[in-house]
């Protein structure tokens, strides 16, 4: 784990975003990151926790324990100071609170279901104690009422509408998309026809060009931003644009990594930062490159100096 986990510096990119009390309250209401939660879900999750304590069944204890662990990890990412303890719990990748916010839904759902079942059993037992047994029509009416209440209390809420708005904006592919815009996506779709199988493409993961591997399976020099470059990759990242003027110094690294192409997606980065790779800049005027395909501002170049 010490060898393969993301480096400590990766966790420093995501500072805490709220207090521990707010993080716990958001977890209970299934509304992390200030998305308005559902009071109905909060009541049902609390009912599931009560059922787990009172019934003392092993699988219920596991469900409650899983929820508690996820809440602990979520609180660490969302609220704890950026120190070694936070990194020990959530590492580099999960220091981003959005990732653990998404995970909260998984243990919350079975607890909410148990809470609903517990509440209905309690209601049914109370009616029977008063001699008000449920005829078939009453049971059917209750089922319809419960389904309607669940729909209104979970789907037709301000929090759900806000989440839908956020997601629809973040995942639309258009000219202003932060990770892969419409020009870049069209070029990525063409890559399997342009790049021979087994040949690697030099990319800058910060501008979205490494998504060529995730979306269409074309090999790239890196697949994510939190990578540590090998000596050959460092040469490519910093000196690939000099391959035409210094083939003896750059081509050995190009051949070692099997690089035959390079993607230029410009300088716009997904987080609005600046992480330039000098080796992938100004390829249009650098000797040793040939333009293969273009979609708007996105360009694929072939490395010709090492062939």
């Amino acid at each position: 784990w010490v060898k393969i986990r993301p480096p400590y510096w990766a966790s420093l990119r995501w500072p805490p975003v709220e207090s521990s009390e707010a993080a716990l309250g958001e977890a209970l209401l299934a509304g992390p990151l200030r998305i308005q939660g559902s009071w109905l879900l909060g009541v049902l999750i609390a009912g599931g926790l009560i059922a787990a304590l009172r019934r003392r069944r092993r699988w219920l204890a596991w469900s409650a324990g899983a929820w508690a662990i996820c809440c602990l990890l979520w609180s660490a990412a969302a609220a704890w100071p950026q120190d070694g303890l936070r990194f020990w719990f959530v590492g580099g990748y999960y220091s981003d609170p959005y990732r653990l916010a998404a995970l909260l839904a998984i243990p919350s759902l079975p607890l909410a279901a148990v809470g609903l079942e517990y509440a209905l059993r309690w209601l049914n037992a109370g009616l029977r104690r008063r001699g008000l047994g449920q005829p078939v029509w009453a049971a059917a009416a209750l089922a319809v009422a419960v389904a309607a209440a669940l729909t209104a209390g979970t789907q037709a809420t301000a929090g759900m509408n806000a989440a839908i708005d956020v997601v629809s904006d973040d995942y639309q592919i258009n000219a202003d998309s932060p990770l892969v815009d419409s020009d870049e996506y069209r070029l990525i779709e063409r890559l399997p026809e342009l790049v021979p199988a087994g040949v690697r493409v030099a990319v800058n993961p910060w501008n979205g060009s490494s998504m060529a591997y995730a979306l269409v399976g074309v090999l790239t020099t890196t697949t994510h931003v939190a990578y540590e470059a090998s000596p050959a990759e460092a040469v490519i990242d910093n000196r690939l644009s000099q391959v035409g003027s210094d083939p003896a110094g750059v081509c050995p690294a190009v051949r070692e990594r099997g690089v035959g192409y390079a993607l230029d997606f410009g300088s716009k980065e997904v987080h609005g930062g600046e992480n330039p790779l000098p080796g992938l800049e100004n390829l249009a005027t650098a000797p040793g490159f040939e333009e293969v395909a273009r979609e708007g501002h996105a360009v694929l170049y072939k490395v010709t100096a090492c062939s």
Side-chain angles (χ1 to χ4, degrees):
W1 173 239
V2 171
K3 292 291 185 182
I4 68 174
R5 69 182 177 179
Y8 176 72
W9 63 260
S11 68
L12 301 180
R13 296 183 178 273
W14 296 285
V17 295
E18 56 196 356
S19 67
S20 296
E21 295 81 4
L24 181 59
E26 290 176 351
L28 184 61
L29 297 179
L33 294 170
R34 300 182 181 89
I35 293 177
Q36 184 174 338
S38 167
W39 285 99
L40 176 58
L41 278 179
V43 170
L44 294 180
I45 291 171
L49 292 171
I50 293 172
L53 291 173
R54 296 192 63 179
R55 292 180 175 176
R56 300 184 184 278
R57 295 178 184 171
R58 182 174 298 178
W59 72 271
L60 278 177
W62 276 102
S63 296
W67 180 83
I69 290 172
C70 286
C71 286
L72 172 66
L73 298 179
W74 152 249
S75 296
W80 290 10
Q82 289 178 293
D83 55 22
L85 182 62
R86 179 179 188 249
F87 180 69
W88 191 89
F89 270 95
V90 295
Y93 183 84
Y94 284 108
S95 292
D96 181 353
Y98 281 88
R99 292 162 181 164
L100 282 164
L103 186 64
L104 280 173
I106 297 174
S108 297
L109 181 60
L111 273 184
V114 170
L116 175 63
E117 185 265 352
Y118 184 72
L120 292 178
R121 283 183 177 271
W122 176 82
L123 176 61
N124 187 57
L127 292 175
R128 290 186 181 279
R129 281 196 301 269
R130 290 168 175 79
L132 301 174
Q134 292 181 343
V136 174
W137 65 266
L142 179 61
V144 172
V146 168
L150 286 175
T151 301
T154 61
Q155 304 304 306
T157 63
M160 179 62 74
N161 292 334
I164 291 172
D165 290 341
V166 169
V167 170
S168 63
D169 287 341
D170 284 348
Y171 287 90
Q172 286 180 354
I173 297 178
N174 53 43
D176 297 321
S177 299
L179 180 59
V180 176
D181 63 32
S182 50
D183 288 342
E184 296 161 354
Y185 187 70
R186 284 195 297 269
L187 183 57
I188 285 175
E189 287 187 307
R190 296 175 58 191
L191 290 182
E193 302 173 358
L194 301 170
V195 179
V199 178
R200 201 173 297 273
V201 180
V203 297
N204 180 348
W206 290 99
N207 65 17
S209 52
S210 64
M211 291 297 290
Y213 175 75
L215 295 174
V216 297
V218 170
L219 295 177
T220 55
T221 47
T222 183
T223 55
H224 58 85
V225 297
Y227 79 104
E228 295 185 13
S230 67
E233 289 166 347
V235 170
I236 293 168
D237 289 347
N238 294 288
R239 300 181 57 202
L240 182 63
S241 58
Q242 305 170 21
V243 68
S245 57
D246 185 19
V250 181
C251 283
V254 170
R255 295 190 182 100
E256 179 181 332
R257 295 297 292 136
V259 171
Y261 296 82
L263 274 174
D264 182 1
F265 279 9
S267 59
K268 180 181 178 181
E269 298 187 3
V270 60
H271 293 309
E274 294 184 5
N275 295 273
L277 298 183
L280 298 178
E281 296 181 346
N282 304 313
L283 300 184
T285 58
F289 294 89
E290 174 188 338
E291 182 177 317
V292 176
R294 176 186 292 268
E295 292 287 347
H297 72 90
V299 188
L300 174 70
Y301 294 97
K302 182 177 182 180
V303 182
T304 59
C306 301
S307 55

